[in-house]
Amino acid sequence: MTTAFLVSAMASQTVSAANEEFGTGDLPPTASDIAWMNANARRVGSVRLNNLGLDRLNADRLSLGLPALTLPTVPHGFEVVPPSLAFSGQSDTTAPLPSSVDNSTLPYFPPIGNQGNIGSCVGFATTYYMGTHMLSLARGINSSDPADMSTKLSPKWTYNLLNGGEDDGLHTPPVLELLLKNGAPSWADFPYANNRSVPANYLEWSRDAAVWRNAIGNRFDSVGEVTDLDTTGGRNQLKSLLSNGYVCVFSTNIYGWQYRTISNDPATTADNAFSGKRICAFAKDGSFGHKMTVVGYNDHIWVDLNRNNQVDSGEKGAFRIANSWGTGWEEDGFSWLSYDALKDTSAVAGADNTDRFPAWGNKAVQYIVARSSYTPSLLGEFTLNSARRSQIKITMGRSSAGATTPSSSFLSGAFLNHGGDFGFSGTASALDGSFVMDLTDLVQSSSRYYLSVADNTVGNPVNLLGFKITNAAGKPLGNAAIGTQGRADNSTARVFTSIGANPLDDVGNTAATAKLVTIPGSHAGSIEIIDDQDVFRFVVGVASNVTIRTTGNLDTAGSLLSQAGTILTSNDDSNGSQNFLINRNLEAGTYFVIVRSHASQSAGDYGLILSATPLPAAHMAISSQNGLVNVTIADGSTAPFAINNTLFSNVASNGAVSSRTYTLRSTGTANLVLNGSPAVQLSGTGASSFRVIAQPVTNVAIGGSTSFRIEYAPSAPGTHNATVSITSNDVSTSPFTFAIRGTATFPRDEHGDSFETGTRVARPSTTVGNINGSADTDCFAFALLAPTTVTVRSTGTTDTAGALFSSTGALLAGNDNASNVDKNFKIQRQLPAGIYFVKVVGQTSTVIGNYSLRIE
């Protein structure tokens, strides 16, 4: 298998824009870069939904008046299925996609950055944007605050470690490898400054062991690549990742972008907010030298590629792009790029193909998967003094306790004979620097751990001043004797330290460093020193009876804590044994267990066993019947829809009323008890315009249902909003809330003017209507349960015109007069199953009168 990774690129350049210089810096991959990508980058066969992707899909469907879907989801990080495991014939996602997403609006995406005139675009795209966003998404961190730089990863880290001591850009694969092996510290730990005139801004390395240790806590899990983005399958794979919350990076020639203006498609209002904005329609020149980040997409955006003022096939859809040239570039630092720009030749007839080239390098993007948490098992910390970091190569190793040479080893992602002829500060000075590498992948009991420092040039020797093994918090567990073998001059200095069985603090001792464990599950632990404590974190998915106990010969004591750190219960000895036992009913949530030795008097190994039995739990579901369709109402919904009866028909404000019936079901494993008084309550500015005219029963058996009815009886014209609230013993949705809305008019407009407020009618049916004047439009909605030939017509003496629309608002057919002398319209059409709308207006603005609408 070969990678589609970029094989053509330009060297770093700067470009002037708005009187400010901006760097680029995306270098072409070497043969070893390509080989690394082939060996390490995941390939995409299909993309499965996670919870965010499903929520976005259903929000898009509800906005179109379609019911929500119940589809299987996977946890974050498990969305990508490799080609060898993907379903036969399905190279892209198997789930539908929302029409648009923009991950830059999520709290995980950092503010737009400015690389200035330094060639650090790869550092910004991969580390600052993609790294920060993916890590924050996996760990639930809000990274949107521009004042809090502790939540954002430093682009200076990757750029300065890997640029070879020159401000000439980066190759992307080594950056991805560095993020996998060494992680990255926060911007606060290693701040970026975008002024090239200060060489330290692109040359200095961090010499602080704490910064390197913090970076390791941000090690990423894996990297991958989506290819063939000029095809529908490849594009849908990328859109699926974006819908699931991912952001990706790509190579481009920013200088070759050809801009147009986003046009307004008259058939939809979904693109109105973007009309008139700039968009890259296509690109020229096949050299690539800039790394950028794709954060979203929008299927509604139209760019008139052939300039014929018509929406042609292939002209719709664009990706949302983030750049690292500050908020003054394009649209506050973002831009749009047409789907069609990724093709060798435009798919649009008559489009300009002169000197055209695909806008993204090899039509591919790279992505990275973050860990929800990471605590290293063992760290190697060393201190060096050198004036030539380019001469240094670091290798870490492990062997059995009695050996003198390592049996397994790995190379650091940072010290690989690069960095230029500078000391660690980026100057010619030989200064001390303390660094930390992760030894977790080498850990075994009763082992000896090695540090090899190789210097490849005579002169400017490197001096090894110290090497120690520590736990994740930096606590020393073993120190190497350095002596005279700590100096390397065109030679290799190798030192080691041996530590016995249970050599490390295997479990963190605070909530922040707690080890995530499964429940049910068995887990091994060790109290290394008498005052050590081990903290475990576990998640209860549903309310359960949880048992936590220890096994083994170590006399242990344990405590159970809430997510907030409150001690819920503790136990020392269970029935005279040395092991503790905790049994407690817990609601769904995150909890901690602290394990200590009894009275902090001993050290040793133990086993921790967790088990859980789900408790009977009540659960509430609410729906409303709309014609023949029973439509679910989501808890917490704030947008009323006619389709689920939360949007009340227009009524007159002179005594007319409209009412809706809702069904409440007990879908859990225990009786549902409504404990509010009354059971259904109304609140909000418009609550006085509604009243509950039939309350539900308050104790609903498992699998049973009850109903309640709400009446809209406004006393004044206008729009009235209220919130329905139902409290119960359902701990996951109490109170259950949803919004309702009604609109009152005077005099009465018997049928709504829009799809949202239209009158629902059956088929076949005849409905009486009235055209009140030039501003009056009557709207109706009906549903088909199977493909049917439908006839829609008006009768009467009023001169009417009619139109038929799909559920998305697309015009299907229109008619004025069924014959040249007839004042009534008639539309006949073969339609598939679905929801449809009919609009009736007067033939001219002066028409007023009654009519009848017949749907057959």
Side-chain angles (χ1 to χ4, degrees):
M1 179 182 298
T2 58
T3 182
F5 191 71
L6 170 68
V7 295
S8 173
M10 299 186 295
S12 172
Q13 300 186 32
T14 59
V15 59
S16 295
N19 299 318
E20 186 173 0
E21 275 197 343
F22 297 110
T24 53
D26 183 26
L27 299 179
T30 64
S32 61
D33 291 337
I34 296 173
W36 187 90
M37 289 293 290
N38 285 335
N40 294 278
R42 291 183 181 180
R43 299 296 176 258
V44 180
S46 62
V47 181
R48 298 176 291 188
L49 280 171
N50 62 23
N51 288 335
L52 175 61
L54 181 59
D55 289 345
R56 285 173 154 177
L57 171 62
N58 282 330
D60 191 61
R61 290 177 61 83
L62 290 175
S63 71
L64 299 174
L66 300 173
L69 298 176
T70 301
L71 297 171
T73 60
V74 297
H76 172 75
F78 293 86
E79 299 89 352
V80 172
V81 178
S84 60
L85 299 180
F87 295 112
S88 176
Q90 296 177 337
S91 61
D92 56 1
T93 180
T94 58
L97 289 164
S99 58
S100 65
V101 298
D102 185 353
N103 291 322
S104 70
T105 64
L106 294 176
Y108 317 117
F109 195 78
I112 286 294
N114 187 345
Q115 70 185 86
N117 57 4
I118 297 176
S120 56
C121 65
V122 175
F124 266 88
T126 60
T127 310
Y128 176 72
Y129 286 137
M130 182 170 67
T132 297
H133 176 85
M134 296 307 298
L135 194 72
S136 300
L137 173 65
R139 300 182 180 182
I141 299 170
N142 188 333
S143 296
S144 62
D145 182 359
D148 184 4
M149 304 310 291
S150 67
T151 63
K152 303 160 186 65
L153 299 186
S154 170
K156 181 177 179 179
W157 172 262
T158 44
Y159 187 61
N160 289 23
L161 282 176
L162 299 175
N163 65 20
E166 297 180 3
D167 184 21
D168 196 31
L170 290 183
H171 308 279
T172 297
V175 177
L176 300 178
E177 182 178 13
L178 184 71
L179 294 175
L180 294 182
K181 285 186 175 182
N182 298 82
S186 70
W187 186 302
D189 274 349
F190 199 47
Y192 179 91
N194 62 10
N195 185 356
R196 191 178 190 273
S197 65
V198 180
N201 289 340
Y202 60 88
L203 288 178
E204 71 172 330
W205 291 6
S206 172
R207 296 181 290 127
D208 185 346
V211 173
W212 287 76
R213 190 179 303 114
N214 292 342
I216 289 170
N218 297 331
R219 278 185 67 183
F220 286 80
D221 179 71
S222 59
V223 300
E225 188 170 51
V226 182
T227 60
D228 301 321
L229 293 178
D230 57 333
T231 68
T232 300
R235 186 170 69 238
N236 283 346
Q237 287 176 350
L238 172 56
K239 289 168 64 177
S240 296
L241 283 177
L242 293 169
S243 179
N244 280 330
Y246 283 61
V247 300
C248 307
V249 297
F250 63 92
S251 300
T252 190
N253 174 20
I254 189 69
Y255 311 108
W257 283 23
Q258 306 298 307
Y259 290 94
R260 297 274 182 87
T261 299
I262 297 174
S263 302
N264 192 350
D265 183 353
T268 179
T269 61
D271 64 346
N272 288 1
F274 312 104
S275 178
K277 296 183 182 297
R278 296 228 305 169
I279 183 173
C280 173
F282 60 97
K284 295 186 177 184
D285 188 345
S287 54
F288 299 98
H290 193 46
K291 207 76 175 181
M292 302 179 79
T293 310
V294 53
V295 300
Y297 67 88
N298 192 314
D299 293 337
H300 301 295
I301 286 179
W302 170 40
V303 55
D304 190 7
L305 293 171
N306 58 13
R307 302 181 188 269
N308 66 354
N309 295 318
Q310 297 180 9
V311 180
D312 295 312
S313 175
E315 290 186 333
K316 295 292 286 288
F319 288 111
R320 185 69 164 163
I321 308 301
N323 196 6
S324 52
W325 288 355
T327 56
W329 182 78
E330 289 300 315
E331 185 189 340
D332 298 323
F334 295 91
S335 182
W336 292 101
L337 184 139
S338 167
Y339 293 162
D340 189 71
L342 302 184
K343 295 182 177 295
D344 295 285
T345 302
S346 175
V348 179
D352 183 5
N353 284 299
T354 305
D355 299 325
R356 177 191 176 98
F357 200 88
W360 291 359
N362 282 54
K363 308 159 196 170
V365 298
Q366 295 80 49
Y367 67 89
I368 197 164
V369 179
R371 308 170 193 248
S372 59
S373 64
Y374 182 68
T375 301
S377 297
L378 197 68
L379 299 176
E381 181 177 331
F382 54 94
T383 300
L384 304 176
N385 180 282
S386 174
R388 293 290 186 270
R389 62 196 184 193
S390 60
Q391 299 177 190
I392 303 172
K393 183 177 182 180
I394 296 292
T395 306
M396 311 295 288
R398 186 203 66 82
S399 73
S400 60
T404 57
T405 56
S407 58
S408 59
S409 61
F410 75 92
L411 293 172
S412 160
F415 290 85
L416 294 171
N417 297 125
H418 54 221
D421 292 337
F422 303 99
F424 302 125
S425 65
T427 69
S429 300
L431 301 177
D432 294 352
S434 294
F435 312 97
V436 180
M437 300 297 165
D438 191 0
L439 298 176
T440 299
D441 297 337
L442 295 178
V443 170
Q444 290 186 17
S445 297
S446 301
S447 292
R448 175 170 286 175
Y449 296 93
Y450 297 78
L451 172 69
S452 295
V453 182
D455 179 89
N456 65 1
T457 305
V458 175
N460 294 299
V462 56
N463 292 297
L464 174 61
L465 305 179
F467 172 54
K468 60 185 176 181
I469 302 299
T470 77
N471 65 9
K475 181 174 68 176
L477 301 172
N479 283 283
I482 304 299
T484 58
Q485 70 257 35
R487 186 177 188 272
D489 189 5
N490 197 29
S491 60
T492 298
R494 177 183 293 159
V495 296
F496 60 82
T497 179
S498 298
I499 42 184
N502 307 312
L504 56 136
D505 190 3
D506 57 333
V507 179
N509 51 24
T510 67
T513 60
K515 180 178 181 179
L516 178 63
V517 293
T518 57
I519 180 171
S522 299
H523 311 280
S526 178
I527 300 298
E528 283 81 25
I529 55 178
I530 59 175
D531 61 349
D532 185 31
Q533 70 174 20
D534 290 347
V535 183
F536 299 85
R537 176 167 59 93
F538 66 94
V539 178
V540 177
V542 296
S544 302
N545 176 259
V546 174
T547 298
I548 307 167
R549 61 188 178 92
T550 51
T551 61
N553 297 322
L554 180 66
D555 193 352
T556 55
S559 297
L560 172 67
L561 290 78
S562 70
Q563 184 172 12
T566 303
I567 296 178
L568 303 177
T569 187
S570 297
N571 182 258
D572 185 2
D573 297 330
S574 172
N575 296 325
S577 77
Q578 296 188 112
N579 297 296
F580 71 79
L581 172 66
I582 293 174
N583 182 270
R584 188 169 176 117
N585 290 342
L586 298 177
E587 301 294 347
T590 299
Y591 298 87
F592 296 92
V593 176
I594 297 178
V595 181
R596 305 179 182 89
S597 69
H598 170 70
S600 296
Q601 292 179 350
S602 58
D605 299 335
Y606 63 89
L608 179 69
I609 299 176
L610 299 93
S611 60
T613 303
L615 296 171
H619 187 67
M620 179 192 306
I622 297 178
S623 61
S624 185
Q625 192 79 17
N626 189 335
L628 298 177
V629 180
N630 195 38
V631 183
T632 298
I633 299 173
D635 174 41
S637 61
T638 58
F641 294 99
I643 192 68
N644 63 7
N645 286 332
T646 55
L647 190 66
F648 286 67
S649 302
N650 283 2
V651 301
S653 55
N654 56 354
V657 298
S658 176
S659 62
R660 301 283 187 269
T661 298
Y662 305 91
T663 299
L664 186 154
R665 292 181 172 82
S666 173
T667 60
T669 56
N671 284 7
L672 179 66
V673 179
L674 311 185
N675 45 34
S677 182
V680 179
Q681 301 181 28
L682 303 174
S683 62
T685 57
S688 61
S689 296
F690 300 86
R691 54 177 175 259
V692 183
I693 59 176
Q695 289 280 353
V697 300
T698 57
N699 194 317
V700 188
I702 301 170
S705 65
T706 182
S707 63
F708 59 97
R709 191 166 182 83
I710 296 177
E711 184 179 81
Y712 177 47
S715 59
T719 298
H720 305 100
N721 294 283
T723 298
V724 180
S725 180
I726 306 170
T727 59
S728 70
N729 62 337
D730 180 349
V731 295
S732 63
T733 57
S734 184
F736 190 111
T737 63
F738 62 91
I740 56 176
R741 180 184 301 151
T743 303
T745 58
F746 187 85
R748 181 181 179 186
D749 184 8
E750 75 287 337
H751 302 297
D753 296 334
S754 66
F755 298 150
E756 186 180 58
T757 59
T759 301
R760 294 173 300 282
V761 296
R763 190 195 65 83
S765 65
T766 300
T767 306
V768 176
N770 180 59
I771 301 299
N772 297 322
S774 60
D776 190 24
T777 297
D778 288 350
C779 187
F780 303 83
F782 66 94
L784 297 179
L785 299 181
T788 308
T789 298
V790 174
T791 301
V792 181
R793 58 190 175 87
S794 61
T795 61
T797 59
T798 301
D799 197 352
T800 57
L804 175 67
F805 299 83
S806 72
S807 62
T808 62
L811 177 65
L812 301 178
N815 185 254
D816 183 2
N817 297 326
S819 65
N820 291 333
V821 296
D822 192 359
K823 293 184 176 182
N824 296 296
F825 70 86
K826 179 179 179 181
I827 298 171
Q828 190 170 56
R829 184 86 176 244
Q830 172 71 29
L831 299 174
I835 297 172
Y836 297 88
F837 299 95
V838 177
K839 282 190 175 181
V840 181
V841 297
Q843 196 273 336
T844 67
S845 61
T846 60
V847 169
I848 296 175
N850 297 324
Y851 67 93
S852 293
L853 176 69
R854 178 67 180 170
I855 300 179
E856 301 173 337

